[in-house]
Amino acid sequence: MVSDVAILRSSSREAHFLAVSNLDKLFSNAIEPWEFSLNPHKNNQDLKERRVLYAPLEYEGQIIPVKITVKEYANQVR
């Protein structure tokens, strides 16, 4: 969530950290618009499923979409 790659992909560093600090609320308001297969070009080792969720976040008087990637691992004991 706070890796350099994730922060650099965000439109705003401040909005990114606001989203991270409010992840529990964003997660409860998120939708999963579609299902898709695991990307064969990414490291899928031990992954059961990868879900992409979207949630609205108010930032500086605007609503911006927040993308949340959730990884479900095949081995539940971690």
Side-chain angles (χ1 to χ4, degrees):
M1 291 187 295
V2 291
S3 70
D4 289 339
V5 173
I7 294 169
L8 290 173
R9 288 184 179 173
S10 291
S11 59
S12 163
R13 182 179 180 90
E14 293 79 15
H16 184 88
F17 284 114
L18 180 63
V20 170
S21 65
N22 289 288
L23 187 59
D24 55 342
K25 186 173 182 181
L26 291 171
F27 188 79
S28 67
N29 290 326
I31 61 166
E32 184 177 8
W34 63 84
E35 289 186 34
F36 58 93
S37 301
L38 291 175
N39 185 339
H41 303 292
K42 291 189 175 185
N43 180 4
N44 296 314
Q45 183 178 351
D46 299 326
L47 277 185
K48 180 178 179 183
E49 204 164 343
R50 180 179 288 141
R51 299 176 182 272
V52 178
L53 311 172
Y54 291 90
L57 173 69
E58 184 179 348
Y59 178 69
E60 293 187 346
Q62 296 182 349
I63 302 296
I64 58 173
V66 175
K67 177 182 173 185
I68 305 167
T69 302
V70 179
K71 296 177 183 177
E72 182 180 349
Y73 289 91
N75 182 359
Q76 297 296 322
V77 180
R78 282 210 173 244

